[in-house]
Amino acid sequence: MIAPCRRQYIFLLILCTFYLITVPAKAGQTPPVSLTLPLATLHQALSSLLPLPVEQKKKNSNFRGTFVIDSISRLAVKQNVIALQGQLSGRNMAVNAQVGGQTIQIKLGQMVLPISCDIALRYDQKRKTLFLRPTFYNQAPQHDPAATALAPLLEGLNKEYTLPLNKLDPLVGKLGVTPIFVQLEPVDIRLNGDSLVFQFRPHAGKLDPTGTGRK
């Protein structure tokens, strides 16, 4: 049985190759093709990356321990952002607190807390870079000491992240007995309803007989 990711890879390669053969280029440039990724598929892809360690700011010395995003229970689109809910766990957790003018370390041990996050995204075509800006929300009760310790950590994650897409690996396969590659140039990435839509401009070529270079 072919895995879902493998099936999508083969389908995309066949689609791009067929598109390049049958659709004439306009003004010397191939029109873009669209790939729609339903949220259910995106949810599955993100879940496959879990558990995901959460890096702390080095300058923040108030925390000790290991933080991991364990699960993503819900994924949805609201007001043009991706909204997700999940679970964060901490191990060997300790936090420094000021008591009577002195700094003491409070050991919290292990914890499991619910979190929610809104992710806004924008794509810069000239730079071929996807920008992601998450906003984390602490869903734990405010009187929970673990929740109080977690708040600064989540606030530190609320910043813009960049994902360069200018060096994507090409799709490689065969058309009959001829080895070919299809290089996908990202044109646009945006949310559309309950899907994430990618637009690529495919550029096709042949591999040399050794399969290590391109003609």
Side-chain angles (χ1 to χ4, degrees):
M1 184 175 182
I2 302 176
C5 289
R6 180 62 177 172
R7 289 200 302 267
Q8 293 170 5
Y9 173 92
I10 295 173
F11 174 76
L12 184 58
L13 178 62
I14 295 174
L15 176 64
C16 289
T17 303
F18 180 79
Y19 186 81
L20 288 167
I21 294 173
T22 59
V23 178
K26 297 180 180 180
Q29 191 175 58
T30 305
V33 295
S34 295
L35 174 65
T36 300
L37 186 65
L39 282 185
T41 304
L42 180 60
H43 190 177
Q44 183 181 12
L46 291 176
S47 296
S48 68
L49 301 176
L50 302 177
L52 186 65
V54 177
E55 295 185 3
Q56 303 178 53
K57 289 184 176 181
K58 294 182 179 180
K59 64 179 182 180
N60 190 343
S61 59
N62 291 328
F63 293 97
R64 296 290 186 275
T66 303
F67 298 89
V68 176
I69 298 177
D70 289 320
S71 64
I72 298 175
S73 57
R74 182 174 179 270
L75 194 67
V77 172
K78 64 174 187 178
Q79 298 178 349
N80 209 33
V81 300
I82 298 175
L84 62 85
Q85 295 178 348
Q87 177 177 288
L88 179 74
S89 67
R91 297 178 179 85
N92 301 319
M93 185 176 169
V95 60
N96 295 332
Q98 294 289 329
V99 178
Q102 295 184 346
T103 301
I104 63 172
Q105 187 178 79
I106 301 175
K107 293 185 177 181
L108 301 173
Q110 295 186 356
M111 69 166 195
V112 176
L113 291 174
I115 59 170
S116 64
C117 174
D118 292 343
I119 304 175
L121 57 87
R122 64 181 180 90
Y123 180 67
D124 188 323
Q125 184 179 356
K126 291 183 178 180
R127 299 169 62 180
K128 290 184 173 54
T129 300
L130 180 63
F131 293 86
L132 304 168
R133 180 178 290 277
T135 302
F136 283 86
Y137 304 97
N138 193 345
Q139 292 186 314
Q142 294 300 316
H143 61 270
D144 188 338
T148 302
L150 183 64
L153 173 66
L154 294 180
E155 290 175 1
L157 298 175
N158 294 339
K159 60 181 182 180
E160 193 168 63
Y161 299 85
T162 59
L163 181 60
L165 299 175
N166 58 336
K167 294 183 179 179
L168 293 177
D169 291 335
L171 303 176
V172 180
K174 285 187 176 182
L175 185 60
V177 295
T178 304
I180 63 169
F181 76 92
V182 178
Q183 183 69 58
L184 298 178
E185 175 194 352
V187 175
D188 193 19
I189 302 173
R190 65 179 60 199
L191 292 168
N192 184 12
D194 289 335
S195 301
L196 186 61
V197 180
F198 299 83
Q199 280 196 327
F200 297 102
R201 180 171 289 112
H203 303 279
K206 295 181 180 180
L207 296 176
D208 67 16
T210 65
T212 57
R214 303 168 187 169
K215 290 183 178 181

